[in-house]
Amino acid sequence: MGTSVQVTPLCGVYNENPLSYLVSIDGFNFLIDCGWNDLFDTSLLEPLSRVASTIDAVLLSHPDTLHLGALPYAMKQLGLSAPVYATEPVHRLGLLTMYDQFLSRKQVSDFDLFTLDDIDNAFQNVIRLTYSQNYHLPGKGEGIVIAPHVAGHMLGGSIWRITKDGEGVIYAVDYNHRKERHLNGTVLQSFVRPAVLITDAYHALYTNQTARQQRDKEFLDTISKHLEVGGNVLLPVDTAGRVLELLLILEQHWSQRGFSFPIYFLTYVSSSTIDYVKSFLEWMSDSISKSFETSRDNAFLLRHVTLLINKTDLDNAPPGPKVVLASMASLEAGFARDIFVEWANDPRNLVLFTETGQFGTLARMLQSAPPPKFVKVTMSKRVPLAGEELIAYEEEQNRIKREEALRASLVKEEETKASHGSDDNSSEPMVIDTKTTHDVVGSHGPAYKDILIDGFVPPSSSVAPMFPFYDNTSEWDEFGEIINPDDYVIKDEDMDRGAMHNGADVDGRLDEATASLMLDTRPSKVISNELIVTVSCSLVKMDYEGRSDGRSIKSMIAHVSPLKLVLVHAIAEATEHLKQHCLNNICPHVYAPQIEETVDVTSDLCAYKVQLSEKLMSNVVFKKLGDSEVAWVDSEVGKTESDMRSLQPMPSAALPHKPVLVGDLKIADFKQFLSSKGVQVEFAGGGALRCGEYVTLRKVGPTGQKGGASGPQQILIEGPLCEDYYKIRDYLYSQFYLL
């Protein structure tokens, strides 16, 4: 029987809701992603609340709210206490995202779902992994190995691979196969034939027909057009995810064109975000890493972007056209909402959306129909208490403090009576003369001078007043007092907590203004009013979400060719479309479960553990294949003395086997290889490769269809048996390992 695998969606199937999925592998429960939306709807977390206490490990894939926003709340309120695993950027940028969310909400409401301390507690014990690092789980998870791999959607974003007994479960959502300015493309295509692939159908119905250069040109031309007529440009963005790509695009374009229009990046943690990103170059694209290695040029030393953490600085900026990137992208809270309300009625201004707004949010409403229009917006802000309200607040706080002090004194008095009740009944009262010698006369001896006792009743068995005393004895050797080094080690959690109270995050990267905002305890209140906003500005949406489109998703899944496929996170139409496509062309086992519906995707293959005997291994010749070594083995199954299955050498010489070519060949890479060997080569119709004058190379699937829908692919060499034919064939064989 294969490794037991069950998948249960807790949120995010047949809709665009946040992502949260329960994956059980041989009884070990993974919570993969723990997302929430910008509306902070607690009803979405009800399925999670029913299983939170049974979770053994949490895996986080991306540093945005949709993937990790519910983590502080789940750990505080739902009983989630499992260890959390993520890459370093997901940990750090996710922490800043939640800071920004909390501060944005706290400024417009009495937000009490979680606090800054809850955020710190949720993130302080995250176990950070690097890409491709195999981490062997301890304890109950023994035998299970997890590893994050490049997803290409956000900085540090991960595809998670979970393996046990040689069978792999791949969790790949929100991946991007395209290389961008600050990120490499995903490595999903490097996985072939996993037991289970869990992936999303979010863009299954969307096809991107625009090249990156053309899209960037349209993006920058649209911004420039509004700036040149005196308008302002607002880009509602996330805190520390896709906004990084937008910042690089604007920075590079401003450098090339020499624009003088200011660019502002406005979030509560903008400066901290960029400080972190500067140190994460090894997680970025090859071009950024190489540029830093050769010239020490850090792509995120932004020369044309000004970082702001409060709207007052933006209001005090010089007048004139400007570009502002502000959170939140949903326009439900944050600086972007305030700026939109101020700028919406000017037709020269532009609000440029770079992602689809979350369902039910103001951003989604604005994207649904073109302007001009009218929208009702509730505007709230927190203001300090003043006058009679402040006096009443202080009186109420003083009353609460007096009541607490009275309760504490009563409790202390009761405890004292309980602990000394028996002694009080038998002891004689002590005489305290505070006017003369302060003598204390007891019933068991002479007076003791210079001792003033107030509220202390010694036990009747004592011959004199005895106060608690602890003798701190120390061990000594010839060098002096013996110390314990562990007493002087500063633990990570102590550093985190201390840094927070000193107005800084775990590395001291929160600037003073942000820290003062976090620690602001002045009495205040929230005032709200409803506005009818006239939307006369331009509203434009462009795709900078950094996700693969439908055609690429289908191609990637076909290449990976999983044994079983689970589809999540998409509207019903997209989910059913991709499900039918995969059933017809890729995989016979495709599942699209509903919320809290458990699907059993246990492998149909039978796996056995066997021991390789020394006699067999002494004659095996391994060949390096990527990170692994492969060899052909002819053997028979036997048993060891401990009754364990073992592979033993064949008693007689094995029959010759057909040659096996191991490896994967990309036609585009092979074209470059042939060109380097002096062979004239070009692509022909249907993806075929014309090599020289007579030979054609093409990939076909097992059914002979071009492109190969499923299963292993074959490479066909077509042409007359001539010198070129054998030369091309030898070159082709050199790209594989022959077993």
Side-chain angles (χ1 to χ4, degrees):
M1 189 66 179
T3 301
S4 173
V5 181
Q6 288 83 34
V7 179
T8 307
L10 304 177
C11 189
V13 291
Y14 284 100
N15 52 42
E16 301 173 19
N17 285 339
L19 298 87
S20 183
Y21 311 102
L22 177 67
V23 178
S24 300
I25 299 180
D26 282 349
F28 189 91
N29 294 329
F30 286 98
L31 176 63
I32 310 186
D33 283 334
C34 187
W36 217 348
N37 59 11
D38 283 358
L39 299 174
F40 291 101
D41 182 2
T42 55
S43 65
L44 295 176
L45 304 184
E46 291 178 1
L48 174 60
S49 67
R50 289 188 275 271
V51 300
S53 60
T54 67
I55 301 299
D56 298 305
V58 181
L59 307 182
L60 302 179
S61 63
H62 293 90
D64 62 339
T65 308
L66 287 175
H67 294 85
L68 54 72
L71 189 64
Y73 181 83
M75 288 193 165
K76 176 185 180 182
Q77 302 287 357
L78 305 183
L80 180 64
S81 58
V84 181
Y85 300 88
T87 61
E88 183 74 19
V90 168
H91 168 238
R92 299 298 188 188
L93 301 182
L95 178 70
L96 294 178
T97 295
M98 297 313 298
Y99 280 168
D100 196 30
Q101 281 281 12
F102 175 82
L103 294 172
S104 297
R105 290 289 170 180
K106 200 65 178 176
Q107 294 306 306
V108 297
S109 66
D110 294 321
F111 188 79
D112 60 356
L113 294 177
F114 52 83
T115 65
L116 290 173
D117 286 337
D118 297 328
I119 297 173
D120 289 339
N121 292 335
F123 282 89
Q124 68 181 359
N125 293 322
V126 172
I127 300 171
R128 278 91 83 181
L129 305 179
T130 59
Y131 281 145
S132 302
Q133 176 186 350
N134 290 324
Y135 184 87
H136 296 259
L137 295 179
K140 182 181 177 181
E142 185 176 0
I144 300 177
V145 181
I146 60 174
H149 297 271
V150 179
H153 173 55
M154 291 183 180
L155 184 60
S158 307
I159 288 171
W160 282 98
R161 185 179 188 222
I162 309 170
T163 56
K164 183 176 184 183
D165 295 336
E167 296 189 12
V169 176
I170 306 295
Y171 174 80
V173 298
D174 295 334
Y175 56 84
N176 186 12
H177 69 289
R178 293 187 175 188
K179 184 176 181 180
E180 297 186 301
R181 281 173 172 79
H182 81 297
L183 294 176
N184 288 324
T186 183
V187 297
L188 178 60
Q189 67 274 11
S190 65
F191 303 112
V192 180
R193 303 292 287 171
V196 181
L197 172 63
I198 305 170
T199 190
D200 67 292
Y202 188 83
H203 268 178
L205 297 177
Y206 168 72
T207 300
N208 183 11
Q209 303 287 356
T210 307
R212 193 185 86 172
Q213 292 80 1
Q214 179 62 28
R215 181 193 61 178
D216 290 351
K217 183 177 184 304
E218 294 176 1
F219 173 76
L220 295 167
D221 287 348
T222 302
I223 293 176
S224 301
K225 181 178 68 175
H226 287 80
L227 293 174
E228 289 168 356
V229 298
N232 296 317
V233 179
L234 169 65
L235 283 78
V237 294
D238 54 17
T239 302
R242 294 301 304 169
V243 65
L244 302 179
E245 181 74 7
L246 301 175
L247 288 171
L248 279 189
I249 293 173
L250 294 172
E251 175 74 17
Q252 293 177 8
H253 186 68
W254 256 239
S255 297
Q256 294 169 1
R257 297 289 299 273
F259 282 169
S260 59
F261 303 112
I263 304 173
Y264 299 104
F265 179 33
L266 175 60
T267 74
Y268 284 104
V269 291
S270 59
S271 54
S272 303
T273 300
I274 299 304
D275 281 346
Y276 271 131
V277 170
K278 289 176 185 176
S279 64
F280 288 151
L281 298 184
E282 71 274 17
W283 298 85
M284 299 186 190
S285 63
D286 296 335
S287 58
I288 287 182
S289 300
K290 290 179 181 178
S291 176
F292 183 76
E293 291 174 1
T294 55
S295 62
R296 290 303 183 201
D297 181 22
N298 192 317
F300 282 91
L301 286 173
L302 305 176
R303 297 175 176 83
H304 299 277
V305 179
T306 302
L307 308 178
L308 303 178
I309 62 168
N310 62 68
K311 191 169 177 297
T312 303
D313 292 340
L314 179 65
D315 296 336
N316 295 333
K322 61 182 72 69
V323 179
V324 178
L325 298 90
S327 61
M328 304 287 175
S330 63
L331 295 181
E332 283 301 299
F335 297 121
R337 183 183 179 94
D338 298 334
I339 297 172
F340 164 75
V341 171
E342 292 180 10
W343 292 1
N345 62 353
D346 190 338
R348 297 175 301 171
N349 294 338
L350 167 68
V351 178
L352 180 53
F353 297 100
T354 57
E355 63 181 62
T356 302
Q358 296 177 24
F359 183 79
T361 63
L362 177 59
R364 187 64 165 266
M365 183 192 310
L366 294 171
Q367 294 171 18
S368 62
K373 64 176 74 173
F374 299 93
V375 294
K376 181 183 292 186
V377 179
T378 300
M379 296 300 296
S380 304
K381 64 178 181 179
R382 183 172 293 277
V383 296
L385 295 181
E388 294 181 358
E389 288 182 327
L390 179 60
I391 295 173
Y393 173 83
E394 292 175 344
E395 290 178 351
E396 177 66 15
Q397 293 300 310
N398 291 333
R399 184 187 65 79
I400 294 174
K401 290 180 181 179
R402 288 194 298 271
E403 290 181 354
E404 291 178 350
L406 179 60
R407 282 195 298 267
S409 63
L410 292 175
V411 170
K412 184 176 181 181
E413 183 177 345
E414 292 294 331
E415 291 177 350
T416 302
K417 290 181 178 179
S419 61
H420 298 294
S422 59
D423 293 334
D424 292 343
N425 295 332
S426 59
S427 61
E428 298 179 5
M430 302 188 71
V431 179
I432 304 175
D433 186 0
T434 58
K435 297 180 180 179
T436 55
T437 61
H438 302 278
D439 291 353
V440 178
V441 181
S443 58
H444 297 284
Y448 291 84
K449 295 183 179 180
D450 300 327
I451 300 177
L452 174 63
I453 303 175
D454 184 11
F456 175 77
V457 181
S460 57
S461 57
S462 63
V463 296
M466 297 295 293
F467 294 89
F469 172 74
Y470 304 97
D471 187 11
N472 294 323
T473 58
S474 302
E475 296 183 5
W476 294 71
D477 58 16
E478 58 270 25
F479 299 104
E481 182 181 349
I482 299 175
I483 65 172
N484 181 8
D486 293 339
D487 296 338
Y488 299 89
V489 174
I490 302 177
K491 299 180 180 179
D492 291 342
E493 55 267 27
D494 294 336
M495 293 180 63
D496 291 354
R497 193 176 298 110
M500 187 63 251
H501 292 308
N502 287 323
D505 63 358
V506 288
D507 279 344
R509 289 184 179 162
L510 286 185
D511 52 70
E512 185 176 348
T514 304
S516 64
L517 180 63
M518 290 183 174
L519 301 174
D520 186 4
T521 58
R522 291 179 301 171
S524 60
K525 67 176 181 178
V526 175
I527 58 175
S528 302
N529 63 304
E530 286 192 351
L531 301 177
I532 302 298
V533 178
T534 303
V535 183
S536 301
C537 65
S538 299
L539 301 178
V540 177
K541 180 179 177 294
M542 293 186 178
D543 178 23
Y544 276 91
E545 295 187 16
R547 293 185 175 96
S548 294
D549 63 357
R551 183 176 59 182
S552 302
I553 289 173
K554 295 170 185 175
S555 176
M556 297 280 277
I557 296 176
H559 182 83
V560 175
S561 190
L563 298 178
K564 296 186 178 181
L565 178 65
V566 181
L567 299 179
V568 297
H569 196 228
I571 60 175
E573 294 83 355
T575 302
E576 290 300 324
H577 170 80
L578 187 57
K579 179 179 179 180
Q580 290 304 317
H581 171 83
C582 295
L583 283 171
N584 296 334
N585 301 286
I586 299 175
C587 177
H589 305 287
V590 182
Y591 306 89
Q594 299 284 351
I595 296 294
E596 295 190 280
E597 177 188 353
T598 299
V599 293
D600 191 335
V601 287
T602 300
S603 173
D604 297 328
L605 302 177
C606 292
Y608 300 93
K609 291 184 179 181
V610 296
Q611 188 179 76
L612 302 178
S613 64
E614 293 183 5
K615 290 182 180 180
L616 177 68
M617 296 302 296
S618 62
N619 296 321
V620 173
V621 178
F622 284 96
K623 294 185 178 180
K624 187 75 173 176
L625 180 63
D627 295 332
S628 306
E629 292 183 340
V630 296
W632 182 279
V633 175
D634 292 301
S635 63
E636 64 178 11
V637 179
K639 288 190 176 181
T640 63
E641 296 178 356
S642 59
D643 204 33
M644 181 179 180
R645 290 186 180 89
S646 174
L647 294 184
Q648 304 289 344
M650 299 286 287
S652 58
L655 296 175
H657 65 270
K658 293 182 179 181
V660 177
L661 295 175
V662 181
D664 184 30
L665 178 71
K666 294 182 180 179
I667 294 296
D669 294 341
F670 189 55
K671 176 179 180 292
Q672 294 182 359
F673 175 76
L674 291 178
S675 298
S676 68
K677 297 296 184 181
V679 178
Q680 186 177 359
V681 58
E682 62 183 5
F683 281 111
L689 192 65
R690 181 65 60 83
C691 309
E693 188 175 354
Y694 307 108
V695 181
T696 301
L697 206 74
R698 70 176 75 247
K699 269 189 176 184
V700 298
T703 59
Q705 296 177 346
K706 294 178 182 179
S710 64
Q713 293 183 334
Q714 296 179 340
I715 299 176
L716 294 185
I717 306 177
E718 301 172 347
L721 298 179
C722 58
E723 182 179 353
D724 283 351
Y725 178 90
Y726 291 109
K727 182 171 66 174
I728 299 299
R729 190 182 69 173
D730 289 341
Y731 285 147
L732 179 62
Y733 285 174
S734 69
Q735 303 303 296
F736 294 89
Y737 294 88
L738 181 64
L739 297 179

